[in-house]
């Protein structure tokens, strides 16, 4: 009996403990409820502060807006294919016309049918066909293009009002911001991919004027000319290229910022060509090693290695050795930063340049010079960019003109050299004065270079200078 009472007491105590634990931990007003509240609230606070979760962002509205403004661009061109057997046996030189078809994307930017795309999408086209998201097809006309920034403007005629993309300010785009790439990769219409802005002001060329937005949103062949939009569906860039050794997407893609795109198409619509203004300086971005080599303290900004003659920079007093740190209110870390800002400006626009000279911060108001009138000189040969008349006269689309000679040793060749057009230097195309100046800056005064040129009489020459 005594043992039974002990067992009963233990059972009663165990039941009370279980009931107490239930009341304490499991009921709504218990301790576990309080701890559960802390656990469920913490991720929400964490997510709001960091904002890394894609699930927390609604892409559907942005995608819905963007897909209707993105079009499919079909480029039809023709080339003559010769038949060597026919030529050999029968002397037949006619050749056959072979059709070639290329595809890409474009973005409608006005309700009356203006479309922006990449220049390489429409290059050498005999016919351009646009297919809207609703599968309606139109013939497009090329209004103008900018080969340097790879932008082209097309126009289709339609009676209906078209959905179009609205431009955002690409200067306000932040690294880490979510973006969508919309286009037609591999002829798959209305494809949307998401990613983040990986970097800004990327320059992938040697001409020093590019300033791309880099993103990890998947972009593949056919996406070229498509839209890069923010989470509000606003246009922040035109997708133009990928970084790949295979031709397919492997991690990064690049877009021309909307501010630069907008300026280019406004120039084409207003002037018929791109009005490109420049500061008139040559140089490069600083880093720790270069700063030590130059003997200066600044480790970021653009170091001025040369000031071009007759440029706004020269007239404003900028000198070799200055370090540009700011344009207007925009901080300049690299040459691509500088190029990206200047590409949104036109000739005769004024820019306040902040620079460091001899450890002192100074400012100068620079009037941008028209790109075509900048000149440079090499061994007493003054060079300038060719104009439309030169291109037509010599049937060329690139080159630099010999404006004047200030070298007595070359006087006997003056008739051949003056007003002639340099086509290449050391087998590298002389596309413009900036390119030539950079090439020649690497050549010492005592070194000779081979130059291919056209004289003012149209004769082609190869000379050694």
């Amino acid at each position: 009996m005594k043992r039974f009472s002990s067992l009963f007491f233990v059972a009663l105590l165990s039941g009370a403990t279980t009931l107490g634990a239930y009341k304490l931990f499991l009921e709504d007003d218990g301790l576990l409820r309080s701890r559960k509240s802390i656990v469920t609230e913490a991720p929400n606070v964490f997510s709001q502060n960091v904002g890394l979760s894609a699930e927390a962002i609604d892409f559907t509205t942005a995608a819905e807006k963007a897909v209707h403004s993105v079009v499919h661009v079909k480029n039809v061109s023709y080339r003559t294919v010769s038949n060597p057997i026919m030529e050999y046996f029968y002397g037949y030189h006619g050749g056959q016309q072979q059709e070639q078809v290329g595809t890409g994307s474009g973005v409608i930017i006005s309700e009356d049918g203006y479309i922006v795309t990449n220049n390489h999408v429409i290059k050498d086209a005999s016919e351009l066909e646009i297919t809207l998201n609703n599968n309606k097809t139109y013939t497009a006309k090329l209004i103008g293009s900018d080969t340097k920034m790879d932008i082209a403007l097309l126009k289709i005629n339609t009676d209906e009002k078209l959905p179009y993309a609205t431009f955002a300010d690409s200067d306000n785009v932040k690294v880490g911001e979510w973006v969508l790439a919309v286009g037609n990769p591999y002829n798959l219409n209305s494809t949307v991919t998401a990613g983040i802005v990986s970097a800004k002001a990327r320059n992938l060329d040697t001409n020093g004027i590019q300033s791309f937005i880099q993103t990890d949103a998947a972009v593949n062949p056919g996406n070229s000319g498509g839209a890069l939009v923010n989470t509000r569906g606003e246009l922040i860039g035109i997708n133009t290229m990928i970084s790949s050794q295979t031709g397919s997407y492997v991690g990064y893609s690049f877009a021309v910022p909307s501010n630069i795109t907008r300026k280019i198409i406004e120039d084409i619509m207003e002037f018929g060509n791109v009005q490109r203004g420049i500061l008139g300086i040559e140089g490069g971005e600083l880093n720790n090693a270069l700063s030590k080599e130059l003997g200066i303290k600044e480790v970021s900004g653009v170091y001025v290695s040369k000031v071009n003659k007759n440029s706004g920079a020269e007239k404003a007093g900028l000198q070799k050795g200055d370090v540009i740190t700011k344009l207007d209110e925009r901080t300049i870390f690299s040459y691509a930063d500088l190029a990206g800002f200047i590409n949104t400006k036109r000739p005769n626009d004024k820019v306040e340049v902040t620079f460091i000279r001899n450890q002192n911060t100074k400012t100068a108001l620079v009037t941008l010079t028209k790109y075509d009138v900048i000149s440079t000189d090499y061994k007493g040969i003054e060079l300038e960019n060719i104009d439309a008349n030169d291109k037509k006269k010599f049937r060329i689309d690139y080159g630099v003109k010999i404006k004047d000679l200030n070298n007595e040793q070359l006087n006997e060749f003056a008739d051949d050299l003056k007003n002639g057009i340099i086509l290449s230097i050391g087998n590298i195309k002389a596309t413009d004065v900036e390119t030539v100046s950079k090439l020649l800056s690497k050549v010492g005064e005592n070194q000779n270079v081979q130059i291919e040129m056209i004289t003012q009489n149209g004769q082609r020459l190869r000379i050694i200078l």
Side-chain angles (χ1 to χ4, degrees), residues 348-361:
N348 299 320
D349 283 352
K350 297 183 187 303
V351 176
E352 184 178 71
V353 179
T354 301
F355 60 96
I356 297 173
R357 179 185 298 167
N358 300 324
Q359 306 306 313
N360 296 316
T361 300

Side-chain angles (χ1 to χ4, degrees), residues 6-25:
S6 298
L7 291 172
F8 178 78
F9 177 75
V10 171
L12 184 63
L13 182 61
S14 299
T17 302
T18 303
L19 181 61
Y22 177 83
K23 296 291 289 182
L24 180 62
F25 289 99

Side-chain angles (χ1 to χ4, degrees), residues 397-398 423-425 427-432 435-436 439:
D397 57 5
Y398 70 92
L423 299 175
S424 68
I425 298 175
N427 294 321
I428 298 176
K429 280 187 176 182
T431 53
D432 51 52
T435 301
V436 168
L439 284 172

